[in-house]
Amino acid sequence: MKQYIDSYQHKGLRKRLVDLLRTKGISDERVLDAINAIPRHFFLDSAFDLRAYEDKAFPIEADQTISQPYTVAYQTQLLQVKKSEKVLEIGTGSIYQSSVLAEMGARVYTIERQKKLYDAQKDFVFRSKYPNIKFFYGDGFEGLTAFMPFDKIIITAAAPFIPPKLIEQLRPGGMMVIPLDEGEVQRMLRITKNTDGTLKEESFEEFSFVPMLTGKNN
Ligand code: SAH
């Protein structure tokens, strides 16, 4: 059984990670506070207990990864999440990104296509702490029509194209942050759906994600 202990050593390392993210250009204090509040080592195998506070992606189950803290902070900052906003996340993975959004007060709807990772949410340590996260097993390309429209959408896997159904599920004035494939790497884009339905596209840094794949995997 994994022990969930957040020691002074973990807290100290986490504080250093937050300082590092600040030097790398993350300036939204609400994002930094959320990262400081969440024990990232709880989301990883105990083999990574202290390494959890390195600014690195690590393997999780089903050959997937927990995103690098800088990437999580970067996407969250671009998303400009406000309290009580409805946020759709594609790619639950380790539940770390969902937790950052939930810690910031968002109402999170997260979709995962890997059954093994979806099932892991049942043992999720923060289930009672974050009742504002709702888990779904499905294909993120389809989104969640039953819960649309969303204020914000965040895609945490490399998208081959901008999923049209997700644009439909975004409310007018809403924003989507998406790492869009550009060959070997992905370009981070922020797409704003204007009130007249047209799209504004802003382009940011390059990142490297696991692929966004169609269909479910059981
Ligand atoms: N947000 C996660 C990152 C996980 S990596 C975290 O904080 O840990 C990306 C995840 O996206 C993987 O778990 C992968 O299985 C999932 N994924 C890929 N394509 C998907 C799709 N079409 N629908 C839902 N999830 C998808």
Side-chain angles (χ1 to χ4, degrees):
M1 252 305 267
K2 185 174 156 90
Q3 300 273 303
Y4 293 104
I5 297 166
D6 191 24
S7 68
Y8 281 108
Q9 191 180 12
H10 293 117
K11 290 190 173 94
L13 290 170
R14 194 149 73 240
K15 177 75 180 41
R16 273 175 37 201
L17 171 64
V18 167
D19 291 341
L20 175 69
L21 296 176
R22 206 178 262 119
T23 64
K24 285 187 164 181
I26 304 299
S27 56
D28 186 335
E29 290 299 326
R30 293 174 324 121
V31 174
L32 295 167
D33 283 351
I35 288 173
N36 199 36
I38 300 173
R40 187 172 185 251
H41 64 286
F42 286 8
F43 298 77
L44 289 165
D45 189 275
S46 43
F48 297 102
D49 190 57
L50 295 176
R51 298 197 64 198
Y53 299 101
E54 292 175 19
D55 190 19
K56 287 194 179 133
F58 288 110
I60 56 173
E61 283 200 88
D63 290 330
Q64 301 304 319
T65 56
I66 179 172
S67 301
Q68 188 183 337
Y70 176 67
T71 307
V72 172
Y74 195 95
Q75 286 197 281
T76 310
Q77 177 164 286
L78 281 183
L79 207 59
Q80 299 177 356
V81 184
K82 293 179 196 76
K83 244 190 156 86
S84 313
E85 276 188 338
K86 257 168 84 178
V87 180
L88 174 63
E89 179 196 22
I90 312 302
T92 314
S94 69
I95 318 177
Y96 180 72
Q97 171 75 72
S98 323
S99 302
V100 170
L101 296 166
E103 177 68 30
M104 291 174 74
R107 289 179 288 149
V108 183
Y109 295 75
T110 184
I111 311 179
E112 175 56 57
R113 68 179 290 281
Q114 294 280 355
K115 186 76 164 55
K116 211 173 184 175
L117 291 173
Y118 169 75
D119 286 340
Q121 51 94 0
K122 297 186 183 90
D123 309 315
F124 176 45
V125 284
F126 285 153
R127 257 209 109 123
S128 52
K129 185 171 181 197
Y130 297 129
N132 49 336
I133 304 177
K134 307 259 182 286
F135 297 90
F136 299 86
Y137 172 49
D139 178 358
F141 281 102
E142 301 296 319
L144 285 174
T145 37
F147 297 94
M148 66 183 276
F150 294 96
D151 298 302
K152 305 279 164 71
I153 298 179
I154 176 171
I155 300 183
T156 69
F161 55 85
I162 300 169
K165 289 185 181 166
L166 297 186
I167 294 290
E168 273 170 36
Q169 294 175 32
L170 200 57
R171 78 157 163 81
M175 284 176 179
M176 177 193 293
V177 171
I178 170 171
L180 190 67
D181 261 335
E182 271 187 358
E184 293 295 291
V185 293
Q186 294 86 49
R187 172 78 51 196
M188 196 64 77
L189 300 183
R190 179 168 61 195
I191 297 166
T192 306
K193 188 173 183 177
N194 297 318
T195 39
D196 63 3
T198 57
L199 303 178
K200 177 174 105 180
E201 205 173 292
E202 297 166 279
S203 178
F204 299 91
E205 287 176 35
E206 284 176 358
F207 290 87
S208 180
F209 284 82
V210 296
M212 181 173 178
L213 303 170
T214 45
K216 292 191 276 190
N217 185 355
N218 51 29

